[in-house]
Amino acid sequence: MSALAPGEDVIVRGFGLAFIDLMILLTEGRGGRYETGPSGRLVYRPSGKEPRLFVGSRRGVPYRAKPEYPLRGERAKLPRFFGQDEIRALVSRSEPLDFRRDVWPLMAKDIGWGYYTELFTGHPDRVRFLAEGLRLREQNGRLHDLDVVGRPDTFTVPAALAAVTDRLGLAGTINSTFTEPYEVARRFTTLDHLSAGRAAGNVVTSWDAFTGENFRRGGFLTEDQRYSRARSFLDAASTLFDSWDAGAVLADKESGRFLAAPTAGAFSVHDEHFDISGRFAVPRQAGDLPGGRLRRGPGVRRRHRRRHLQPTHDFGSGPGIPRRREVPAAALRPQA
């Protein structure tokens, strides 16, 4: 770049990260220096030997560079979905690999896992966590109504929030003991479409017969059974998510073809807890696998017995601070 004379006019097209590299090449070594200004920020003092840059772009402003962003959350354990085992499996295939079909979905899973690990652990203020309760809490025959509207559905509330937000992650608790993989996968994928990929979930179990009374099967599962079911639940949900490839939906008007292959959405799960097969009804978003955003709760990752704690104190008092209301449980039950 020494061929450019001091003060020579240079027209630069583009204001992206490549412009920063070009600007350094055109100015470095020409005598300019940085000094600390009154505000403590570095200020460039030109020497007069630099060329004059005239920069243009469709945006009109430079892109925000983020090379110095420090991770604030837990370090994501990567690779999680695209490790050595997956690479060896791809290399061992006899047929040619298709990047969008075979490679990109695995990469997208790892990228998504890293992104959401940082979002959830490094920026918890940007995530609104919605805990699921399948029954109002009760102690000694009295209901503890700690929520203004009771215990709303996990998926309905985030769906409403998705319509009025665009930068919040939308996560809720999903009970694996009294729900079915197909039902949850369908609702979760639907929410993922409505929120443009911001859906996430925390999978937990329920241990008490009190909650089970709300369901036809009733009762409860033992500790080993409910954690075993939760693991099978997650595996089944992932199978449903994976039943749609990234390029499964063609929607080609000219040819009249909607699907790339007639087997799109086909799944089959047969294990100790689930015996299901069929066609999953909701395609996933292109280039993303929502299964990577279903996080296992502590009890699902390891055998862990937790006490069922009930609050026994008021929130406090003052403007805008609700007080706990205790309602006799019998008041909400049909009278004989």
Side-chain angles (χ1 to χ4, degrees):
M1 298 296 181
S2 58
L4 296 174
E8 185 172 351
D9 294 340
V10 177
I11 297 177
V12 181
R13 179 183 178 183
F15 221 162
L17 294 180
F19 163 73
I20 297 176
D21 297 331
L22 179 63
M23 180 180 63
I24 293 174
L25 290 173
L26 292 175
T27 57
E28 191 175 33
R30 292 180 179 255
R33 67 186 186 279
Y34 282 96
E35 295 179 353
T36 302
S39 64
R41 301 182 63 180
L42 292 177
V43 179
Y44 182 72
R45 305 298 183 189
S47 66
K49 299 179 181 180
E50 301 89 351
R52 294 198 306 170
L53 305 183
F54 295 86
V55 188
S57 74
R58 287 178 295 179
R59 285 169 50 94
V61 295
Y63 284 87
R64 295 181 179 179
K66 303 178 182 178
E68 296 182 357
Y69 170 77
L71 293 177
R72 302 177 184 178
E74 299 175 4
R75 188 176 184 85
K77 296 180 180 179
L78 297 171
R80 182 181 178 89
F81 302 98
F82 194 30
Q84 292 298 323
D85 291 341
E86 289 76 15
I87 293 174
R88 280 192 289 267
L90 291 174
V91 172
S92 64
R93 291 187 180 183
S94 58
E95 69 276 10
L97 294 179
D98 182 275
F99 178 79
R100 288 186 59 84
R101 181 194 65 201
D102 304 318
V103 181
W104 172 244
L106 298 174
M107 295 174 60
K109 281 185 177 182
D110 268 349
I111 294 171
W113 185 264
Y115 172 80
Y116 281 98
T117 297
E118 173 66 9
L119 175 64
F120 276 78
T121 63
H123 303 274
D125 56 308
R126 299 183 183 179
V127 180
R128 298 295 178 263
F129 185 76
L130 178 64
E132 182 177 53
L134 299 180
R135 181 165 179 168
L136 292 176
R137 284 169 282 191
E138 179 180 336
Q139 185 178 27
N140 298 327
R142 301 180 71 84
L143 292 176
H144 294 265
D145 189 0
L146 302 179
D147 303 301
V148 177
V149 292
R151 309 301 293 274
D153 178 70
T154 293
F155 290 96
T156 306
V157 175
L161 292 174
V164 294
T165 63
D166 57 14
R167 300 180 63 182
L168 290 178
L170 303 170
T173 304
I174 300 169
N175 189 302
S176 63
T177 305
F178 299 112
T179 53
E180 298 298 322
Y182 187 95
E183 173 193 13
V184 169
R186 181 172 63 90
R187 297 169 71 189
F188 186 89
T189 308
T190 301
L191 175 61
D192 205 44
H193 280 284
L194 293 176
S195 64
R198 291 181 287 135
N202 179 49
V203 177
V204 299
T205 68
S206 284
W207 66 272
D208 60 320
F210 175 75
T211 299
E213 290 179 353
N214 274 355
F215 298 87
R216 183 173 298 176
R217 73 181 70 127
F220 67 99
L221 297 177
T222 63
E223 182 179 25
D224 288 341
Q225 287 178 323
R226 69 175 184 269
Y227 292 149
S228 174
R229 189 183 197 277
R231 286 187 288 269
S232 294
F233 178 96
L234 280 168
D235 291 341
S238 295
T239 298
L240 292 166
F241 294 137
D242 293 342
S243 65
W244 286 85
D245 293 330
V249 178
L250 293 178
D252 189 343
K253 293 182 179 180
E254 294 184 1
S255 66
R257 293 182 62 193
F258 181 72
L259 298 178
T263 57
F267 69 90
S268 180
V269 177
H270 305 284
D271 60 23
E272 176 186 359
H273 300 279
F274 304 106
D275 185 14
I276 56 176
S277 60
R279 299 286 290 272
F280 187 47
V282 188
R284 63 180 175 86
Q285 296 199 85
D288 189 20
L289 285 173
R293 285 176 263 127
L294 282 180
R295 183 174 182 178
R296 303 179 181 210
V300 180
R301 289 197 298 269
R302 60 184 182 275
R303 293 178 60 183
H304 175 65
R305 186 182 300 277
R306 290 177 291 179
R307 295 179 59 194
H308 187 60
L309 301 178
Q310 294 287 356
T312 57
H313 61 279
D314 290 333
F315 284 105
S317 59
I321 302 179
R323 298 182 66 85
R324 186 187 66 191
R325 294 186 294 111
E326 291 191 353
V327 183
L332 298 184
R333 293 173 179 162
Q335 301 296 317

